[in-house]
Every structure is written in structure tokens, then in C-alpha cells.
Amino acid sequence: MSSTALPAPHRRDADPYRLGRGQGHGAPGHGGGHDHATGHGAGGPASKRVVVGFGFWIFLLSDIVMFSAFFAAHAVLLDATAGGPSGRELFDPTRVALETGFLLASSFTCGLAAVATEARSQLWTQIFLLITGLLGAGFLALEINEFTRMIAEGAGPQRSAFLSSFFAVVGCHGLHVTAGLLWLGTMMAQVFIKGFRPNILRRLLCFNLFWHALDIIWVALFTIVYLIGLGT
Amino acid sequence: MLGKLTWDAIPWSQPIPLIAGAVVMLVLLGVLAWVVVKGYVPYLWREWITSVDHKRIGVMYTLLGLVMLLRGFIDAIMMRLQQALAFQSGGYLPPEHYNQIFSAHGTIMIFFGAMPFVIGLMNFVVPLQLGVRDVAFPTLNATSFWLTATGALLVNISLVVGEFARTGWLPFPPLSETGYSPGVGVDYYVWALQISGVGTLMSGINLVTTILKMRAPGMSYLRMPMFCWTALSANMLIVAAFPILTATLAMLALDRYLGFHFFTNEAGGNMMMFMNLIWAWGHPEVYILVLPAFGVFSEVISTFSRKPLFGYRSMVAATLFICIVSFTVWLHHFFTMGAGGDVNATFGIATSIIAVGTGVKIYNWIFTMYGGRIQYATPMLWSVGFIVTFVIGGMTGVLLAVPPADFMLHNSLFLVAHFHNVIIGAVLFAAFAGLTFWFPKAFGFRLHEGWGKASFWCAFIGFYVTFMPLYIVGLEGMTRRLQRYDVPEWRPWVLLAGVGIIILFAGAVCQVVQLVVSIRDRDKLRDEMGDPWNGRSLEWATASPPPAFNFAVLPNVQDEQPYWTIKQRAIETQQLPAEPDYQPIEMPRNSPTGFITAFFSTLTGFALIWHIWWLVVVGLVAAYAIFVWFAWRDVEDYVIPAEDVAKIDRERRHARQAWLDANARVGEPA
């Protein structure tokens, strides 16, 4: 559980965003980042860190496209309540505010975990990852509770097209959080056993991106599903 | 225990699928037995099944595409035969079977024929053209392929176990809802496409990352070969469009499995929303297929005209233009929805505007040929055949883009003739042009020219004889997907189309014979030097077949035609560039992750189709276990020592030097 020192300052200045340029590993012509980058791609293949982060961003964008299809469906079916309850009757603003608080706080602690990783502190990384996971689990518990309560009241997804799309879009986000929690647990074990190796660091970077992306989607969900739903 | 699965799932009373299934099973078992008896299993496992080499994966994708094209073609022959026989009679296929055949034909041809073929070409060629050693995520690449294979397997299982969808290649609700399709057909469709769709999406992410982040030094965007540009556009479309398909099919699955009401008749469901969503994916999908095809033709036409591509930058602009506009035209697939004149006009104009970008490309290809020394090798024949055929298909497309005309021609055989005209004329012709063009790079020997040319002429003539009559009967009012018909005026044209498919069949036979003959005569067709067509881009700079690491030293790119420049310099100075300083190379290790993931995906998919819930859980838990197991490995790469690199590259240099000596002042390969 010892923390190692920060990278030497001069190394950071040479490559402030650690894009792999100027690290000098690999001779010219062998990939892995070059000294003489003069333009887009002119320096040869990017470093693994850049490739992995960039690829994961592309995946996140595709995931956001998938959510946008669910959002579009929800917008279309907003009034299709088929005589059943609408959002105004069903949604509980306090619960939604609590859920939002949990998720945003978990994003903050996730960021703190990244800072701890930067300082190579095993202990604080684990602590903040654990808090992130607990907040995420709290969010999930609230959501599951909301779902079961609605289904018990006869406002399940089979009741109307509006409720179908509500359960699908919120549930899809919930599934993402569940997958994120599984990933988080796996990451904690990996960090604990394998330490801060380059590939573990890249995975932590991707996990951070993923967890923040879930927040972005929740903000859209909060607005499109809950706020508009309560307003109509 | 086994959900809905019982012995009755196998169609004991229907001889056609039963015999077909038995034949396929026998062939499969025969191949498996042969592989086992010959002792090839360890070799296949080591070199192919667990391979993460983009070249091997590209070859496997292409092979899957070829086999599935044949499978879908058999469906096509059955349909043409049915319509030839079914004049004022029932033909030989009962309606429920005929409906499965046309659904399976479309699904297989698009998702498991054309897509794997095109992705296979991109996988194989793009890293070589960019001058790099692999794609961004090699193990993910293998997983993508095996997931696609899973989808193909599930569709083919439906031939004997249960049934396939009877809804057409896109399962339009409410027909595809449980009320009207209670069987497992639509479920086969949904899960086969969900699983292979995930594979395609990951493949798209992989190639976009590769092209944007991994290029040889000096390879700026505007120095990339045209095929890389079209691959980039197609893969960006995959990343932007396939998630919509995933979401749409998920909604349909929720409707069918959990009683949701996205697209149902009752409780406020909106079936036209399905049309909008599915075509918001479906129209970009057309360009996902056709843009790489344009890339293949650009490479082939430039190479065999002995000229650089005319108007390279306008070609890049046209590609990106098509890439973006393809997302704004989806509504033309259902002008008859009744969205109103303004909406229809907007989408009609957007659709017509795409023809501008395509027109730029057509003229660029023609101007590339103009003044060139054209050599009509097989790939070039496919390309010229494409230009002629595609112009006709494009014009009927612009005709269909006019909403009033579309109201008349909607769902007719005119439409069927149109989209076959563009898909066969562009995608299929490009697939075969690309196959012939890059085959020597992949295997070190060329394909037989004579059989290739025979195959082209059969396909070219067969296409016109099959589909021109369909344009005519379409204008005469014959709708698509008819199991029987009673109008005597249609009959001669339908019979002529039946003759056409016999010619197309001859083309397919020639294609298979070409492969067999070429493998038999491989020593005569050997490509010693690695540049059989006097090529211009970097894939021809390496040996045929390329070593695992592609390039001993990453090439330093100085202009738009890097290999052409290297080659001309070598010819002028009569010597190769100085031998580089060889370094050890790190390459990714092979991994069975993709194969095992696909194995459990197949189980999960099958279990979902038949409602075997415990097996679903087993599959998902196993998938997570594989994920952790893969994430736990400590050694990701292996190192090829510098001496080995030097030894392999010196062989390549030796072959090049021999060629240089033999062709001292000619400048053309033997």
C-alpha cells in the first residue's frame, strides 16, 4: 500500500498530456510515438495509451447513439399512455433528485480515484473506487425500488407504450450502471493484485470515461424523461 | 428444461429443408472428419482460430462471406424457380416456406454475405495500405469476426431446428410481433443480428481507431489511399448507425419477450416508429456496403490504367459528402407512410443530391481511365462492368427518389430490380474485383485469369438477363414477394429472369472452379516479388503473403503514392534503398478469447430463441468469466528478434533485386 512519487517534472513538461510523444521508446520507423511529429499522423502510429483512450471514446459515442434511439422512441411515445398513468402521476421528484445526487457524487469520487491513481496511491485509489461503487449501488437500489413500486401499482411496462419506453430507457441506463459496477469490482481486484502497470492504468482511464459518460446520459435522461415527464 | 424446444421443432414433414439441412450437416461433418483425420486441428487452432493477425481475420471474414453468398444464392435460385412455376398454380414451395426463403435470402446476403466480405477486405487491406503492423485492437478484431460467425451459424441452424422469420429481411411490425409471428422465426432473426451486430460495431470502432490513430510516419490524411478513405467513411457509418439497429431490435425483443408496447397495435404502440428507426440504420447500411466498393474500384482502376487516381481530393470530398448525406434520406423507404408533401419533397431532394457525389466519382473513374494504358485484367473487367451497371441502377434510384413515382413503384419488382442493380453491380462486383486483386497478396499466387474472366462475363450477362425483366414486370404492376400470380403478361418476363439466374449460376460455378484451378496451379501462378499488378500503394511494398509483422521497418511516406515513388526510385537508380537497421518487433499474442466468446454467444443466442433460461444465465456468466480471464493475462505481446526480422526481410529484398535485374530498363513487372 505504498505510494510512489509523481513522475519527474521534466518528463511531464516534455509531454504534458502524456500522449506518448517524446518518450523515446522505439526507434523511428518502429511505431510507438516519435520525436518529430509535424502534423496529424505525420509522426507515425500513436502510443498505446492514445489508441486505447481514443478507441474507447469512439465506443462511448456509439453507446450514446444507441441511447439517442431510445430517447427518440420515448419522445414519440410520451403521450401514448393508453388511458394509463402519465409521468406526472408516477414520478417522485425527491427520489429522482436523490438518484441524481448519488450518481453525480459517484462521478466526483471516480475523479478522485483517478487523482489517487495519478499519485500512484494504492490505498486511496481503492478507497475512492469503493465509494464510487457504493454510490452507484445506492443509485441502483433506488431505481430498482422505483421500478418494483411502479409495477406493483399496475404501472409496469406492459401497461402502455409510454411506460414501455420509460422502463426501456431508464432500465438501459441501469443495466449500464450494473455493468459498470461489475467492471469496477474487477478493476479493484486488478489494481490490488497487479498494481499500476501500464495496461491497468489504461483500463482505469477507460473506466473513468465510461463512468462519466453514464453521468452525461443520466443528465439527458433526467431532463428528457423526468423533467419533461413531470411537466406534461 | 429445454424451453420451447421439442422434437417437433425439426420439420420432419417437410422434405426440402430436411434434405437441405441433412446435406449441409453431412458436408460439415465430412469437412470436420477430414480435418481431424489429416491432423490439421492443431494447425487450424494455432494459426487461424486463435489468430489475432488482421490478415488472417480478413481472410476468414472473406471466406465466411463467400460461403454465405453461395447459401443466399441458393435461396435466390429457389425463389426464381418458384416464380417460374407458380403461374396460376402453387408452384413447389408452400407459402410459409417461400416466405422464409425470401426473408433468409435478404438477411443472409446483406448481413452474412456482403458485410463479412466487405469487412474482410477492409481488415486485410487497410493496415497494409496504411503501412502499419496490425489494427488498433487485434483481439477485439478476432472477437468481432467470431461473433459475426455466430450470427451466421444461428441463421443456418434455423434451417433445421425450428423456422426462420417469414417477415422479409426487415421484420416489420405488427407482423413481427408475437400476435402474428408466434413462432421462433423472428427470434432467430433478432438474436442472430444482435450478436453479429455487436461484432460489426466493434469492428467499426477498431478500424476507425486504426485509420485515425495508426498510420505510417508521414501518412497524413490526404496521403491515404482512396480505399482507406472509403473504409474510414464506412466504419464511421457503422459506429453511427449500428447502435440504432441494436436499439431497434432490442425494442422488438422487449415487445416479443416481455410484452412491451413499442410497436404493437394495442396500448399506444407505434409501428411506424419501427420503420423510421430501422431505416435510420438501414439507409446508412447501404453506404456502409457501397463506399468500400467504391474504394476497391478506385484502387483497381488507377492500377490497371497505369495512372494515379484522377481528382483524388474531389474523390475524398465526394466520399465524405455521401457519408454525411446518407443519414438524411431514410424516409424515402416509406414515402407512402403519408408524412405529407413537404416532408416527402425534402427527403426526395436529399436522395437525389446523393447522386451528385456519386456522379463526381463516376467521372473521376472515367477520367482516370482516359489517356491511361488500360489493361483488362479480371479486376478491371469487374470495374468497367460496374461503371456501366451502376449508372443504370443509380438512374432508376433517382427515379424512385421522386415521391409521386415512388407511390406507383413502391413494393414492386421495379424496386427489387433497382436495389439488386446497385448492390450486385457495385458491392458484389467490387467484392470479386477486390478478391482477384488482393488474392495474390494474401496467398502468394494469382487467381486463374481465364476462369475469372468467364465468371465475370457470366455474372455480367446473367445480371442483365435476370433483372432487366424484373424492371419491366415491375412497371407492369407485379409486386415483390409473390408466392403465386395469375397475370399472363408477366409470365414471359418471369421465365426470362429464370433463364438469367441460370447464367448467374454458371458465373458462380466459374468462380468456384477458378479457386480450385488456381490452388492446383499455384506454382505456375506464383507471385514471387509481391507486386503482381505494378501497384501504387504500400500493400505491394511487402512480400506476398506478408510476414506477420507486415513491414520490417515502417515505411516513411512522402507523397500520395508511396510505393510507386519507392519503386520508381529503385528503377532509376537500379538499386533498392539501403538495408535498414533491423530492430526486434513486438506483436500481439494469439488468443482464443474471440472463439470462446462466440461459443458462449451461440449458446446464449440459441437459449434465448428457445426460452431456455438457465442456459442464458450460464452463457452470460461464462461471458463475464472469459472477460476476466482475458483481462488477467500478464503477457500480451511476443517479440520477434531482430535476426528473424532481418532474415525474412532479406528474402523480400532478394526477390525485389532479382526483379530489378531482370527488368533493367523496362519498369514493368514480368
Side-chain angles (χ1 to χ4, degrees):
Chain A
M1 298 275 172
S2 68
S3 62
T4 45
L6 284 168
H10 68 275
R11 281 290 291 273
R12 291 196 125 188
D13 294 343
D15 183 19
Y17 303 108
R18 291 190 291 128
L19 298 178
R21 311 264 191 235
Q23 289 193 347
H25 61 77
H30 289 276
H34 266 249
D35 291 323
H36 310 293
T38 53
H40 285 290
S47 71
K48 237 180 182 170
R49 181 185 154 88
V50 171
V51 168
V52 169
F54 187 87
F56 199 76
W57 259 115
I58 303 274
F59 162 73
L60 288 178
L61 290 178
S62 80
D63 215 31
I64 287 172
V65 172
M66 188 186 76
F67 268 103
S68 70
F70 279 108
F71 281 133
H74 190 69
V76 168
L77 300 174
L78 200 55
D79 297 326
T81 50
S86 68
R88 187 195 287 276
E89 296 149 53
L90 289 169
F91 299 153
D92 172 9
T94 325
R95 178 195 302 273
V96 182
L98 215 54
E99 283 178 307
T100 310
F102 272 38
L103 210 55
L104 293 187
S106 81
S107 236
F108 178 66
T109 54
C110 191
L112 288 179
V115 174
T117 307
E118 196 78 345
R120 300 290 182 273
S121 162
Q122 171 80 245
L123 177 66
W124 285 107
T125 304
Q126 294 285 9
I127 288 175
F128 283 125
L129 283 179
L130 183 67
I131 298 175
T132 307
L134 290 176
L135 287 169
F139 166 86
L140 262 187
L142 279 173
E143 190 168 295
I144 291 168
N145 184 267
E146 179 189 31
F147 277 13
T148 46
R149 190 181 53 91
M150 281 171 71
I151 292 170
E153 283 172 10
Q158 286 116 335
R159 177 62 190 84
S160 68
F162 160 72
L163 283 165
S164 294
S165 73
F166 167 81
F167 274 90
V169 70
V170 178
C172 188
H173 179 267
L175 273 181
H176 275 72
V177 175
T178 313
L181 287 179
L182 266 179
W183 186 4
L184 183 121
T186 317
M187 273 332 294
M188 285 172 71
Q190 286 213 316
V191 172
F192 182 69
I193 291 168
K194 293 179 185 288
F196 295 111
R197 297 196 317 206
N199 59 351
I200 305 287
L201 291 177
R202 289 197 296 270
R203 285 171 203 168
L204 281 172
L205 169 80
C206 290
F207 174 75
N208 261 275
L209 289 175
F210 182 74
W211 200 257
H212 296 315
L214 290 189
D215 250 23
I216 296 172
I217 289 165
W218 178 260
V219 171
L221 214 148
F222 179 75
T223 315
I224 294 172
V225 177
Y226 287 106
L227 281 187
I228 295 180
L230 279 165
T232 46
Chain B
M1 183 69 185
L2 287 177
K4 286 156 72 178
L5 186 60
T6 59
W7 277 114
D8 297 332
I10 296 167
W12 301 111
S13 56
Q14 295 170 40
I16 295 173
L18 206 59
I19 293 168
V23 170
V24 173
M25 286 287 277
L26 274 179
V27 171
L28 267 181
L29 287 178
V31 171
L32 271 181
W34 179 73
V35 166
V36 172
V37 168
K38 284 273 191 176
Y40 291 152
V41 175
Y43 165 78
L44 278 180
W45 177 260
R46 207 175 52 241
E47 298 290 327
W48 292 90
I49 294 172
T50 62
S51 176
V52 297
D53 182 335
H54 75 96
K55 301 178 286 293
R56 296 276 164 92
I57 294 168
V59 168
M60 289 193 288
Y61 257 121
T62 311
L63 187 65
L64 175 71
L66 270 175
V67 172
M68 286 296 120
L69 282 179
L70 280 177
R71 164 77 172 79
F73 185 55
I74 293 170
D75 288 335
I77 294 172
M78 290 174 77
M79 278 188 283
R80 284 282 122 246
L81 183 62
Q82 167 72 11
Q83 288 205 332
L85 295 174
F87 175 63
Q88 292 177 347
S89 77
Y92 74 106
L93 287 174
E96 69 276 8
H97 191 190
Y98 179 75
N99 293 355
Q100 288 183 48
I101 302 265
F102 70 64
S103 306
H105 168 73
T107 310
I108 288 175
M109 284 302 203
I110 295 290
F111 291 100
F112 302 113
M115 282 297 281
F117 211 123
V118 165
I119 293 179
L121 287 180
M122 293 194 287
N123 237 308
F124 181 82
V125 177
V126 164
L128 287 170
Q129 283 196 336
L130 294 175
V132 292
R133 297 197 169 119
D134 210 325
V135 291
F137 308 110
T139 312
L140 189 71
N141 200 16
T143 312
S144 299
F145 166 72
W146 286 106
L147 288 181
T148 307
T150 292
L153 182 62
L154 283 176
V155 169
N156 283 290
I157 288 175
S158 78
L159 187 65
V160 260
V161 186
E163 50 162 15
F164 194 64
R166 302 171 192 176
T167 50
W169 79 283
L170 293 177
F172 292 152
L175 178 60
S176 56
E177 297 282 357
T178 27
Y180 303 96
S181 295
V184 292
V186 178
D187 301 327
Y188 265 111
Y189 178 95
V190 166
W191 296 112
L193 260 62
Q194 283 294 46
I195 293 170
S196 69
V198 170
T200 307
L201 175 65
M202 294 196 305
S203 184
I205 292 168
N206 211 337
L207 282 164
V208 169
T209 312
T210 307
I211 297 173
L212 292 182
K213 288 289 162 200
M214 296 178 67
R215 303 193 298 279
M219 176 80 80
S220 58
Y221 287 135
L222 284 171
R223 284 178 185 171
M224 294 199 301
M226 204 52 225
F227 184 71
C228 291
W229 269 109
T230 56
L232 174 64
S233 304
N235 284 295
M236 288 196 300
L237 285 177
I238 288 178
V239 171
F242 265 77
I244 309 178
L245 178 71
T246 306
T248 313
L249 291 180
M251 292 178 206
L252 183 61
L254 286 171
D255 275 8
R256 288 181 62 84
Y257 280 77
L258 297 173
F260 281 41
H261 290 289
F262 278 106
F263 311 123
T264 53
N265 269 338
E266 319 82 47
N270 188 334
M271 62 206 70
M272 284 320 289
M273 188 171 76
F274 183 89
M275 304 292 165
N276 276 288
L277 285 170
I278 201 89
W279 286 114
W281 157 81
H283 200 83
E285 162 70 11
V286 175
Y287 290 92
I288 291 169
L289 290 174
V290 91
L291 283 174
F294 290 167
V296 173
F297 294 128
S298 301
E299 302 294 322
V300 166
I301 289 173
S302 155
T303 303
F304 290 99
S305 302
R306 300 275 172 273
K307 278 175 67 189
L309 189 65
F310 181 91
Y312 169 79
R313 287 180 183 227
S314 67
M315 208 68 148
V316 172
T319 305
L320 294 177
F321 171 81
I322 293 174
C323 179
I324 291 164
V325 180
S326 71
F327 261 104
T328 65
V329 300
W330 78 90
L331 193 127
H332 71 213
H333 293 275
F334 44 94
F335 278 142
T336 50
M337 173 171 79
D342 299 343
V343 173
N344 280 0
T346 307
F347 280 88
I349 291 166
T351 307
S352 308
I353 282 178
I354 285 208
V356 176
T358 322
V360 168
K361 286 174 166 275
I362 299 270
Y363 281 112
N364 278 341
W365 289 316
I366 294 174
F367 283 131
T368 305
M369 286 160 62
Y370 177 77
R373 280 196 286 141
I374 300 174
Q375 180 196 347
Y376 282 104
T378 313
M380 190 61 179
L381 281 181
W382 289 109
S383 304
V384 176
F386 149 76
I387 292 181
V388 176
T389 312
F390 194 74
V391 166
I392 298 171
M395 285 193 296
T396 57
V398 173
L399 180 63
L400 283 165
V402 181
D406 184 79
F407 269 68
M408 303 302 295
L409 296 166
H410 184 84
N411 253 0
S412 72
L413 278 179
F414 188 90
L415 169 84
V416 171
H418 157 70
F419 69 70
H420 282 86
N421 195 335
V422 282
I423 292 183
I424 294 179
V427 182
L428 199 70
F429 281 20
F432 291 131
L435 178 71
T436 329
F437 188 57
W438 283 304
F439 189 90
K441 186 45 66 186
F443 295 102
F445 59 96
R446 271 171 289 181
L447 287 172
H448 191 277
E449 275 287 297
W451 283 105
K453 285 181 177 164
S455 168
F456 164 74
W457 285 111
C458 289
F460 187 70
I461 296 166
F463 165 77
Y464 282 94
V465 180
T466 311
F467 289 100
M468 293 302 133
L470 295 193
Y471 273 125
I472 295 168
V473 280
L475 287 172
E476 288 179 354
M478 187 170 178
T479 50
R480 68 197 290 197
R481 296 167 175 167
L482 285 184
Q483 189 259 343
R484 56 168 293 160
Y485 61 98
D486 301 316
V487 181
E489 287 79 15
W490 298 345
R491 184 151 167 80
W493 300 113
V494 172
L495 287 176
L496 187 56
V499 174
I501 206 152
I502 297 172
I503 307 176
L504 277 174
F505 179 72
V509 170
C510 290
Q511 204 81 47
V512 175
V513 172
Q514 183 199 31
L515 262 179
V516 174
V517 168
S518 309
I519 292 171
R520 193 194 64 197
D521 296 346
R522 59 187 176 279
D523 289 324
K524 268 189 276 175
L525 296 163
R526 194 68 69 186
D527 165 30
E528 304 284 358
M529 194 249 236
D531 179 17
W533 314 113
N534 199 4
R536 314 178 84 84
S537 43
L538 282 174
E539 73 267 37
W540 308 112
T542 179
S544 295
F549 47 79
N550 289 353
F551 300 93
V553 174
L554 292 195
N556 204 355
V557 177
Q558 282 157 358
D559 54 22
E560 283 161 26
Q561 302 197 71
Y563 174 56
W564 187 257
T565 312
I566 296 171
K567 186 161 53 178
Q568 293 314 309
R569 196 169 299 150
I571 291 169
E572 275 162 29
T573 59
Q574 285 300 303
Q575 58 182 0
L576 298 175
E579 193 178 273
D581 170 28
Y582 294 112
Q583 303 274 334
I585 294 175
E586 259 190 7
M587 292 300 291
R589 278 175 59 196
N590 283 355
S591 167
T593 309
F595 186 75
I596 301 176
T597 308
F599 175 78
F600 285 110
S601 307
T602 310
L603 281 189
T604 311
F606 190 79
L608 281 165
I609 291 161
W610 291 98
H611 297 206
I612 311 170
W613 305 120
W614 63 268
L615 193 54
V616 176
V617 175
V618 169
L620 290 177
V621 170
Y624 176 69
I626 299 298
F627 163 72
V628 174
W629 171 75
F630 175 67
W632 225 266
R633 68 178 186 169
D634 284 317
V635 188
E636 295 174 354
D637 302 304
Y638 71 100
V639 175
I640 305 174
E643 311 88 72
D644 292 4
V645 176
K647 186 166 156 281
I648 294 169
D649 198 50
R650 277 180 194 133
E651 271 175 39
R652 180 191 68 93
R653 289 174 62 87
H654 186 71
R656 304 248 156 182
Q657 191 61 54
W659 172 82
L660 212 51
D661 297 341
N663 298 272
R665 308 238 162 252
V666 188
E668 294 272 325

